[in-house]
């Protein structure tokens, strides 16, 4: 018989519907594999933001890099905790999940200009991470993987704030000649992400 809640109260503490709870989702192995890649992405983003603060001459960007580095560090910690809940140590979080991702973030870290750095961060890396987290929410079981869902949802809230700033920075600092100058480099970043199968 079909489940019917008392007076149509939301079932399962409002986490999801009963049909959604019965759908297959990610295996523990697949879930952990994705979480490790998000962890790596946030860790590298924290490194990049922190490394570029002192050399950045624009005060507004310095302030943003400082805040965004802090937010990334918070999500690194949350993801480490979640992976620890799902796996016995050693967790393997110090390993590079894909050499193509390492090249991707190394390229952004060593971007020779502010304009390239801005595009690499806010038009490449952060959007790719947002897409991966959104895909996780779509692919996983919302009930059995609810702790991961919470981690992803909180990360998305702050990723969207970071990307709002990035959109404004790109509009203010990037013009058509700049895009033409860096198009080959942006294509390289696209190739690295594609070779890695995306951030997830």
């Amino acid at each position: 018989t079909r489940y019917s809640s008392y007076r149509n109260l939301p079932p399962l503490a409002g986490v999801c519907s009963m049909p959604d709870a019965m759908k297959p989702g990610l295996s523990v192995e697949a879930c952990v594999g994705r979480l490790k890649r998000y962890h790596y992405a946030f860790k590298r983003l924290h490194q990049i933001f922190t490394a570029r603060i002192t050399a950045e001459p624009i005060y507004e960007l310095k302030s943003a890099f400082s805040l965004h580095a802090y937010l990334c560090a918070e999500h690194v910690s949350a993801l480490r905790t979640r992976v620890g809940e799902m796996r016995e140590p050693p967790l393997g979080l110090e390993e590079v999940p894909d050499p193509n991702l390492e090249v991707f973030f190394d390229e952004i870290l060593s971007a020779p200009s502010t304009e390239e750095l801005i595009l690499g961060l806010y038009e490449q890396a952060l959007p790719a991470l947002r897409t991966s987290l959104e895909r996780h929410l779509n692919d996983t079981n919302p009930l059995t993987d609810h702790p991961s869902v919470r981690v992803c949802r909180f990360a998305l809230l702050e990723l969207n704030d970071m990307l709002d700033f990035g959109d404004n920075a790109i509009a203010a600092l990037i013009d058509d000649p700049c895009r033409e100058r860096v198009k080959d480099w942006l294509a390289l970043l696209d190739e690295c992400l594609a070779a890695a199968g995306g951030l997830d």
Side-chain angles (χ1 to χ4, degrees), residues 37 98 100-101 132 135 191-200:
R37 288 167 78 101
D98 189 295
N100 296 291
L101 290 182
S132 297
R135 188 177 294 124
E191 290 171 9
C192 290
L193 269 184
L199 279 181
D200 58 353

Side-chain angles (χ1 to χ4, degrees), residues 38 41-50 60-76 105 108 117-130 133 151-171 199:
Y38 314 149
F42 274 118
K43 183 170 68 172
R44 291 304 310 271
L45 286 165
H46 171 266
Q47 176 196 20
I48 295 166
F49 281 125
T50 303
E60 290 78 8
L61 291 179
K62 281 182 183 289
S63 301
F65 291 174
S66 298
L67 174 61
H68 296 172
Y70 168 76
L71 297 178
C72 288
E74 289 282 291
H75 297 301
V76 167
F105 286 109
I108 298 172
L117 179 64
I118 293 297
L119 288 169
L121 286 169
Y122 297 109
E123 197 171 274
Q124 294 276 341
L126 289 168
L129 183 51
R130 176 171 63 182
L133 292 170
V151 170
C152 292
R153 288 175 64 193
F154 289 139
L156 281 167
L157 284 172
E158 295 186 328
L159 267 178
N160 285 325
D161 290 343
M162 294 160 71
L163 283 164
D164 285 344
F165 174 86
D167 288 343
N168 287 316
I170 289 169
L199 279 181

